[in-house]
Each structure stands twice: as structure tokens, then as C-alpha cells.
Amino acid sequence: MRVVWTGLECRIRQEKVDDIYGSVGVIAGMTPLPPVKFPDSGTLSFGPPGQRIFAPQRLLYSGPAVDLNVSLGLVQFDSDGDAEAGKQALAQAASAAATAFIASVTGGAGAVLKPLIDFLAVELVDALGGIIGFNDNPFDPAAILITKDRMLSANTRRQTRQRPDDPRIVRFTDEIATQGKDDDGDVGVYVLYLDIQPLGAPGEPPVDDGVGTPALSRGSQGVAVEKLQRLLNAHVPDLQPLAVDGDFGDVTEERVREYQRRVDIVVDGEVGLQTWGMLTGLEREQEEAAGTPPLRRGDRGAAVRKLQRLLNARVPDLQALAIDGDFGDVTEAHVREFQSRLAVIVDGFVGPQTWNALKL
């Protein structure tokens, strides 16, 4: 099972433009996972048309179906505090709340005496005191429990969400809503969307051969490595065929790196979701299906990979971008450079004009 954070929607904004940062915490069964701070740097801006949904496509959990507690901490940033320190405080609060929650369950002989959100509320007050700026506005803590049975029924619950003022379409099975109020009484509402993907769900590499697409690296052995070696032989036919022996050694690793170079993805010699996706054709299918939505720094996913490929082709004199689906500072710099060469508005935002120029 995979739990992917597919979107964060500004349902009701507090200001003309809301600058937001936050943290997402996950407890899988009785195991707390490292909180996810967002965005990677700075804040996310919500408000203008086309900027009401953030689509990170970030993997939060991968493993067997279990009871899953997911929490959300959010702050509306008004520029007089330290956003990076705030993110760290939110992440620490999520970790502390998870620890206290697990301790309460194990101490109560497996019974849930208090929900996770009660612990989170206490920890957020302690963590954010003295960290956020005077005018910054923390939103109410939010958390949901996704039971094992609910995870297993994900395919029957999948929905889509699209706003009339933002072309992004978010696919989700579960959501977490939070609201906050500033000193002027203005209320903001944000919704975080999760998509639970059982084996064989749309968006996951096919596994109907009984082998699947597990993470592989040098030292791995078995039938999944044999499958990898057969696919590499098919995709790189001009080189000496690999022995299909199920042993991920130096030769197989070098062939993986060569394949990754040829398809313009991150070259690390490891076989994860992206490399499997390219080998099975899924990555290209996802990129074609992603269309040409508005993109900005902080976005992730198939459309960003498509953008990065096109930028590499259109500005080949620059250092090639890693095709990692992460619209970060380097990708934004490439977008700005491409826009400057077109003599159009240089804003780092990829809208219809930039997409059309890239596709010429």
C-alpha cells in the first residue's frame, strides 16, 4: 500500500495572498514516521487564480495495510517570524505528539484513551511559543485515523477535486481539513488530500506478474533482479546483454546507471519507483496524462518531470536538470532563463505562454 499526499487546497483564504508553511505527521500502526516539513524552503503562496491548490505528489507511507494516523500542522506566515524555525517546531510537535500517543496506547493495554489530535494540540502550543512571529497565525491542529479496513477499501472511495479557479485536478481517498482565524477575525480553511493506492491502483507500476517493483540496489538478489535484468536488456539492446542471474552486482549497477542517463532521470544506480516506472513505460504515460497545468516552485509530480525534460531540450547549454519531478530552485532558475530568452515576462511561473513555447 502507498499513501501519497496529492494536494493542499486553500478552500477559504485569510488574506488576499496567504503565505503558508506546515508539517505532516504519520503514525503507521504503532510506528511514528519522520514528519514531512513543507515547502522545502520558504513558504507557499495561495490566493490568486491558479494558485489555490498545491500538488506535491509526495509519498508519505509505503507498506502493508495498517491503522494510519495522519496529522497536519499549518501556519499562516506574516513575514515577521522565522519560517524555517517554525517548520522545525511543527515537525517536533508532530513527533512529540506521536510519541505521547503511542505511549498512551501501549500503557492502556492497546486501548486508545485519547485521540492523536489531543496530544498534537498540547505539543503545538509548547513548540510554537516564542518561535512564530507576532502576526503569524497557527491553524487549528488536525488529524485523522485511517483504519486498516479503510485503507483496503481505497479503490472504492477514490474521488477527484477541481476548483473553477485552478486547473489542477487532485485525486484523493481521504482528506484532512483545518481552519484558522487571524487577529482581525478573518477565517481561513485549508484541506489536505491523501490518495491511498493499493497494489494495482492507478499510478502504481504493475505488479500482476507476482514479482512487483521493489526497491533494488547493488547486493540485491532474486526474481525481481532477474526481471530488472530482462528489462534492461530490452531497453539497452546495443550493449552486451546482462546475464539474467538475479544478482545485482557491479555490472548490473553500471547498466542501471547507463539506462538512467539515457532516459534523463536521476543517475544513482538504484532502482526505485521512477526507474521502474520508466522501464515499464509508466513514467511517460503519467507525463502525457498530466497535461500542461500551471506550475511554480514547490510543485511536484509528472507534469514537473515533463517540464524538466522540455527545459533540458530547449536550453541544452545549461547544466541538465535532474528529472525528479521536484520544482525547486534549480528548475525555477532554468524556467527564468528560458523565459528571458523568449523576451516574455520572467517570473519563474509556467503558464500557457511558457508551455506553448516549450512545446514548439
Side-chain angles (χ1 to χ4, degrees):
M1 309 286 295
R2 300 170 67 229
V3 179
V4 180
W5 171 22
T6 53
L8 178 67
E9 177 192 1
C10 173
R11 186 77 55 91
I12 301 174
R13 66 190 184 200
Q14 280 188 331
E15 311 287 346
K16 184 176 181 180
V17 175
D18 287 352
D19 292 317
I20 297 292
Y21 66 81
S23 174
V24 179
V26 178
I27 305 173
M30 288 291 105
T31 303
L33 304 181
V36 174
K37 297 178 288 184
F38 66 90
D40 293 335
S41 62
T43 59
L44 297 171
S45 294
F46 291 91
Q51 295 185 7
R52 298 297 290 268
I53 292 178
F54 170 56
Q57 302 298 324
R58 180 169 292 189
L59 182 67
L60 298 180
Y61 171 76
S62 180
V66 294
D67 288 349
L68 208 70
N69 282 276
V70 185
S71 65
L72 171 64
L74 208 65
V75 172
Q76 204 273 108
F77 181 66
D78 271 347
S79 303
D80 61 342
D82 185 338
E84 302 310 316
K87 290 178 209 174
Q88 184 61 31
L90 287 174
Q92 290 172 350
S95 294
T99 300
F101 171 75
I102 292 169
S104 76
V105 174
T106 55
V112 177
L113 304 178
K114 288 199 302 183
L116 174 62
I117 193 169
D118 288 358
F119 295 98
L120 185 62
V122 172
E123 297 296 340
L124 282 175
V125 171
D126 292 342
L128 291 175
I131 296 293
I132 65 172
F134 179 75
N135 293 320
D136 294 349
N137 302 299
F139 279 63
D140 296 338
I144 60 169
L145 167 64
I146 305 172
T147 64
K148 177 180 177 180
D149 288 343
R150 189 168 175 82
M151 288 189 76
L152 293 171
S153 67
N155 278 347
T156 66
R157 300 185 292 102
R158 186 164 287 107
Q159 306 174 58
T160 58
R161 168 71 174 168
Q162 183 175 22
R163 295 178 58 93
D165 55 358
D166 195 307
R168 294 174 180 82
I169 299 175
V170 177
R171 187 181 68 171
F172 69 99
T173 57
D174 297 270
E175 61 185 82
I176 307 174
T178 182
Q179 70 175 32
K181 182 183 292 186
D182 64 18
D183 293 337
D184 296 326
D186 298 320
V187 175
V189 177
Y190 282 75
V191 180
L192 181 140
Y193 296 101
L194 304 171
D195 189 35
I196 299 174
Q197 302 172 357
L199 294 180
E204 186 167 6
V207 294
D208 57 1
D209 58 1
V211 176
T213 53
L216 299 173
S217 59
R218 186 158 54 88
S220 297
Q221 294 184 324
V223 292
V225 178
E226 293 178 6
K227 174 180 177 178
L228 168 67
Q229 291 166 330
R230 284 193 294 270
L231 286 168
L232 287 169
N233 286 341
H235 282 275
V236 193
D238 54 307
L239 299 182
Q240 179 70 29
L242 294 169
V244 181
D245 56 7
D247 183 6
F248 196 134
D250 294 341
V251 177
T252 298
E253 181 182 30
E254 180 50 42
R255 189 61 50 85
V256 169
R257 289 178 179 275
E258 175 60 24
Y259 174 71
Q260 290 169 330
R261 280 190 286 269
R262 293 187 182 195
V263 296
D264 204 18
I265 60 177
V266 176
V267 179
D268 58 8
E270 298 180 359
V271 182
L273 288 175
Q274 188 176 44
T275 302
W276 275 121
M278 292 302 295
L279 286 165
T280 60
L282 179 69
E283 289 268 305
R284 293 289 190 177
E285 292 173 11
Q286 289 177 333
E287 290 169 22
E288 288 303 312
T292 54
L295 296 174
R296 56 184 169 141
R297 184 166 59 86
D299 283 339
R300 294 171 181 263
V304 178
R305 293 199 305 269
K306 177 192 288 187
L307 168 67
Q308 290 167 329
R309 290 186 202 284
L310 287 170
L311 286 169
N312 284 344
R314 298 295 180 266
V315 282
D317 53 308
L318 298 183
Q319 178 70 36
L321 291 167
I323 311 300
D324 57 7
D326 183 0
F327 197 137
D329 294 340
V330 179
T331 298
E332 182 181 35
H334 276 59
V335 170
R336 289 179 177 275
E337 174 61 23
F338 177 70
Q339 291 171 329
S340 71
R341 297 183 185 190
L342 289 176
V344 299
I345 295 175
V346 178
D347 56 7
F349 181 79
V350 182
Q353 187 178 40
T354 302
W355 274 119
N356 289 337
L358 284 165
K359 293 165 66 179
L360 290 175

